[in-house]
Amino acid sequence: MNDTADKSPSLGDRVRSFLDQTSSLSKVAHDPMLTAELLLLVRMSFANKAVEPAEADAFAAICTRLLGLNGDELTDVLKYLNDFGYETTDAQAAAMLAGLDETRKRQILDHMAIVAKADGEVDERERRLLEATARRLGFA
């Protein structure tokens, strides 16, 4: 009996399959800093337990206009983040970014604030995530 026919694709095979699909996905998968920022933006979108349309639009605008991702590929990018970044905590993502220069760290915080404010209000969970990330990035 051939055991290889019964096995599911390995994690490596799944990652390669994702990377072969889209250029934005490849960009994200090969750039841990970009992945960390996107994880924080996604977490900000979900911080108040529901992603409002305005928050989703803000996320998409940041991804396409400011981070250079293809809007048509964002669904694949989000699937990748869900499949391969779900175990990364907010603290771990921020720690990845802590060594960036101050200007870039401020941009990341600005991007998070844009998402938090997109629905017209910043709730307590969003504020806490923004403040905790700022501390982790070295802004007391």
Side-chain angles (χ1 to χ4, degrees):
M1 178 172 199
N2 186 351
D3 288 334
T4 58
D6 297 331
K7 291 185 179 179
S8 344
S10 71
L11 178 60
D13 291 338
R14 290 176 39 213
V15 170
R16 278 187 289 284
S17 173
F18 270 121
L19 297 181
D20 291 340
Q21 292 176 16
T22 62
S23 61
S24 288
L25 184 55
S26 180
K27 181 179 178 179
V28 171
H30 287 95
D31 185 342
M33 300 300 183
L34 178 57
T35 300
E37 179 175 3
L38 291 172
L39 284 169
L40 288 171
L41 291 173
V42 168
R43 301 279 166 68
M44 183 59 78
S45 298
F46 283 97
N48 61 358
K49 305 296 182 196
V51 179
E52 299 295 329
E55 291 170 322
D57 291 345
F59 174 84
I62 290 165
C63 288
T64 57
R65 294 183 195 142
L66 302 176
L67 300 177
L69 300 178
N70 182 331
D72 293 335
E73 299 171 356
L74 290 182
T75 299
D76 292 331
V77 168
L78 288 169
K79 183 170 177 12
Y80 172 82
L81 293 172
N82 183 60
D83 289 350
F84 299 106
Y86 71 95
E87 289 182 351
T88 304
T89 67
D90 305 334
Q92 291 168 326
M96 290 279 301
L97 303 169
L100 296 174
D101 66 69
E102 185 173 319
T103 301
R104 183 67 180 105
K105 291 189 290 189
R106 287 189 188 281
Q107 288 173 339
I108 292 166
L109 291 172
D110 287 346
H111 296 166
M112 291 177 69
I114 289 167
V115 172
K117 295 188 290 187
D119 63 356
E121 65 178 292
V122 177
D123 85 355
E124 182 63 22
R125 291 174 293 246
E126 291 168 326
R127 185 187 61 73
R128 282 195 314 262
L129 177 56
L130 192 58
E131 289 174 352
T133 302
R135 276 191 311 278
R136 291 173 178 135
L137 294 179
F139 301 105

